[in-house]
Amino acid sequence: MPRVGGDPQAASRELNMDQIERAKQRERVEAERLRRVVISALEQANEQVRKDPDAAIRTLETTLATVQESPLDRDLTVPLVRQLESRMKVYRQDRKRREIEQIERDR
């Protein structure tokens, strides 16, 4: 809090620093919330993939959209995006492999 009767410029700088620190704290909280959303989606998709790979991929796609729409700095969201995209790639490859195996069994 700025001191009454003090240097107005110093008080203004102190207020600005408080605002910057609060903004940084809000960003940290939002980054942590988003990280938890991603972890939860990855866990959910991991459970879904055995029974319904398409549902698992949809879960990850929805979460990916949430991360990409986040107002957070890209430096904070890029690792989350990569994680989701990597897992989707694995699930899509696995789905394709299963489809090929099924076609071969049906011959």
Side-chain angles (χ1 to χ4, degrees):
M1 268 334 248
R3 285 181 247 140
V4 177
D7 177 12
Q9 289 180 339
S12 178
R13 282 191 301 274
E14 188 175 324
L15 181 60
N16 286 339
M17 292 303 287
D18 280 349
Q19 290 171 338
I20 291 169
E21 189 54 41
R22 284 195 302 274
K24 286 180 181 179
Q25 179 61 27
R26 283 191 302 272
E27 186 174 62
R28 285 190 294 268
V29 168
E30 177 59 15
E32 179 60 23
R33 184 196 70 79
L34 202 55
R35 188 184 72 77
R36 289 178 188 204
V37 166
V38 168
I39 289 169
S40 177
L42 290 168
E43 290 171 351
Q44 181 181 353
N46 196 43
E47 293 173 13
Q48 293 172 320
V49 74
R50 289 169 186 72
K51 294 180 182 175
D52 190 352
D54 292 332
I57 292 167
R58 282 192 303 274
T59 295
L60 297 177
E61 287 172 338
T62 301
T63 306
L64 177 62
T66 299
V67 172
Q68 289 173 328
E69 293 168 3
S70 168
L72 289 174
D73 188 83
R74 279 186 38 87
D75 290 342
L76 297 172
T77 61
V78 165
L80 301 175
V81 166
R82 285 187 183 143
Q83 233 181 338
L84 292 164
E85 288 176 339
S86 174
R87 185 71 62 92
M88 283 189 295
K89 181 179 179 181
V90 168
Y91 288 171
R92 286 182 178 126
Q93 288 171 339
D94 189 51
R95 180 179 61 188
K96 190 68 160 174
R97 181 188 51 78
R98 288 181 190 189
E99 289 170 357
I100 291 169
E101 288 172 355
Q102 185 62 43
I103 290 170
E104 289 176 355
R105 278 194 301 270
D106 291 346
R107 285 185 181 178

